[in-house]
Amino acid sequence: MGLKPKNILLTVLMAGALLAGFLCCLLLPDREFSLSERRKLAAMPELSAENLLSGAFAEDFETYVQDQFPGREGFRSLKALTETYALGKLDNNGLYLAEGHLSKLDYPLNEQMLDHAAERFRYLYDTYLAGKGMKIYLAVIPDKNVFLAGQSGRLTYDYQALVSAVREKADYMEYIDLFSVLSLDDYYRTDSHWRQERLLPVAERLAGAMGAELPRAEYKENTLDTPFFGVYSGQSALPVSPDALVYLTGGAIDGCTVTGYGSGSPEAMPMYDLGKGQGRDPYELFLSGSQPVITIENPNAETHRELIIFRDSYASALAPLLAGAYARITLVDIRYVQSAALDRFVDFDRQDVLFLYSSTLLNSSLALR
């Protein structure tokens, strides 16, 4: 076959493939949500003269086609495999695989984000905590990049510089070091979060530093009967084996009552929401996931001490392990409630106060309100 017939054949095949893709896009129903990426997918943009003339329609349509293209998940996996193994790239859209762990680059250090977090913390201190005899503590949860990025040749920053900057900006807090009691094995391989069954040393370090007594307890490890594919497994599109999601029962945990304020009014909720453990993000099993304010009350506590934790999602797995040391723990997430509205839900009066945040959130803190 001569060169010209070959070119014609290739052109026909390419046109046929594009036509088939177009018809599939046209005929197949749109998907609203990507379970693997845990995000909403783009919908067909509105066609109007204004959108056409401004160029908005073309831009939104391109995003729509990328999100709704037939076989999209397969193409994502092919791209990730090619860039990781064939081309040897160190990351694929900021995600990488090293030492059996998936992780997301967190680089560079962003001083403006640290300033924003410090401003929010100062507001909380000045508005609710100052002059009330409260002991105030700060602990930074290291992202697993601390144990993974630099050692595997990925871009990273000086995490101790982050800690030093936050401590300097919040010098009214007493710092509690968690870096020395954590290792890579304490984190899920496919997710950003830490594993509850590995957190007893962290709970002991925090309680001891705050002068609270954490009773000895025998905990039972319970494993979800479905595999846990963390957030990075879907975002990376790389084939990885799942984690096992383990939650602890026993000790003070079993006797506690939990109240959430997600609706604005108090509602009883479980310590472990097994329904959410089967949902889009199984880590939401711990304290039902994102909640503005939660209280954990321990009716069997041998103390009247109370603790307030200003926190992100990492505290959901940790707080149950601190329940034995306090009569009440209040968790506050100012990503989901305005700081100015907190006195509607919390009485600030002589509690211990812990600011417990991941380095990842501190380095990208605009969600703090």
Side-chain angles (χ1 to χ4, degrees):
M1 184 183 291
L3 186 60
K4 187 174 181 180
K6 284 185 178 179
N7 289 341
I8 293 173
L9 178 60
L10 288 174
T11 301
V12 170
L13 289 174
M14 179 62 72
L18 291 173
L19 178 61
F22 173 75
L23 290 175
C24 287
C25 285
L26 205 62
L27 299 175
L28 292 176
D30 289 347
R31 295 183 303 146
E32 294 183 3
F33 192 86
S34 170
L35 283 175
S36 62
E37 298 170 271
R38 298 185 189 174
R39 70 175 182 87
K40 288 183 177 180
L41 297 176
M44 181 68 176
E46 180 184 354
L47 181 60
S48 67
E50 181 181 353
N51 283 350
L52 282 172
L53 292 173
S54 67
F57 179 84
E59 183 176 336
D60 293 344
F61 185 76
E62 182 180 355
T63 303
Y64 163 75
V65 171
Q66 290 173 354
D67 275 6
Q68 302 295 343
F69 194 83
R72 178 174 177 274
E73 291 300 319
F75 283 111
R76 289 183 64 241
S77 294
L78 179 61
K79 174 180 179 291
L81 287 168
T82 301
E83 295 198 350
T84 301
Y85 297 111
L87 301 180
K89 292 183 65 174
L90 289 179
D91 69 275
N92 177 31
N93 296 327
L95 291 151
Y96 66 93
L97 177 64
E99 297 186 37
H101 278 256
L102 289 168
S103 193
K104 186 173 185 178
L105 295 176
D106 182 24
Y107 178 88
L109 185 63
N110 192 326
E111 191 75 26
Q112 288 183 321
M113 292 294 100
L114 302 186
D115 287 341
H116 178 74
E119 185 273 328
R120 290 289 80 204
F121 297 166
R122 171 62 72 173
Y123 176 87
L124 293 169
Y125 175 76
D126 290 342
T127 306
Y128 302 113
L129 310 177
K132 295 186 177 180
M134 294 173 148
K135 296 179 180 178
I136 304 171
Y137 304 90
L138 166 70
V140 176
I141 303 166
D143 180 82
K144 65 179 177 179
N145 283 313
V146 170
F147 314 104
L148 197 62
Q151 297 87 323
S152 62
R154 273 77 181 181
L155 290 171
T156 187
Y157 58 79
D158 184 349
Y159 282 85
Q160 289 305 319
L162 178 146
V163 171
S164 296
V166 175
R167 291 182 66 181
E168 181 179 348
K169 298 172 193 297
D171 57 2
Y172 48 90
M173 304 185 196
E174 181 180 334
Y175 179 67
I176 305 173
D177 171 58
L178 298 183
F179 283 62
S180 60
V181 293
L182 286 165
S183 70
L184 182 60
D185 292 336
D186 299 325
Y187 297 78
Y188 296 111
R189 291 179 298 100
T190 65
D191 198 76
S192 59
H193 291 102
W194 51 13
R195 297 159 50 190
Q196 190 191 47
E197 72 273 20
R198 302 274 303 187
L199 296 185
L200 287 174
V202 175
E204 290 167 355
R205 169 65 61 85
L206 290 170
M210 294 187 292
E213 185 175 350
L214 195 63
R216 287 193 168 274
E218 294 292 330
Y219 292 104
K220 176 185 176 183
E221 293 190 359
N222 308 271
T223 304
L224 273 187
D225 56 6
T226 54
F228 174 39
F229 288 95
V231 64
Y232 292 152
S233 61
Q235 291 179 351
S236 71
L238 289 169
V240 290
S241 57
D243 283 293
L245 195 150
V246 176
Y247 60 98
L248 301 180
T249 54
I253 293 174
D254 292 349
C256 288
T257 59
V258 182
T259 303
Y261 292 81
S263 66
S265 300
E267 295 180 348
M269 54 185 280
M271 188 77 78
Y272 304 118
D273 190 330
L274 298 181
K276 291 196 173 184
Q278 307 294 333
R280 294 174 176 174
D281 182 1
Y283 184 79
E284 291 188 341
L285 170 145
F286 298 105
L287 294 179
S288 298
S290 302
Q291 298 279 336
V293 179
I294 296 172
T295 61
I296 302 174
E297 296 188 70
N298 177 9
N300 301 313
E302 298 181 359
T303 178
H304 295 293
R305 292 181 67 169
E306 296 185 10
L307 172 66
I308 297 172
I309 304 178
F310 291 100
R311 57 90 170 216
D312 58 21
S313 56
Y314 284 75
S316 295
L318 176 70
L321 304 182
L322 291 170
Y326 290 93
R328 174 194 287 250
I329 296 176
T330 302
L331 296 101
V332 179
D333 194 335
I334 58 171
R335 294 175 299 171
Y336 303 107
V337 60
Q338 292 285 352
S339 296
L342 286 181
D343 54 1
R344 293 171 49 196
F345 306 101
V346 184
D347 293 324
F348 295 92
D349 183 22
R350 296 187 176 276
Q351 300 99 328
D352 293 340
V353 178
L354 173 63
F355 286 76
L356 179 66
Y357 285 95
S358 65
S359 56
T360 306
L361 187 138
L362 292 171
N363 201 40
S364 182
S365 65
L366 284 181
L368 299 178
R369 301 193 289 171

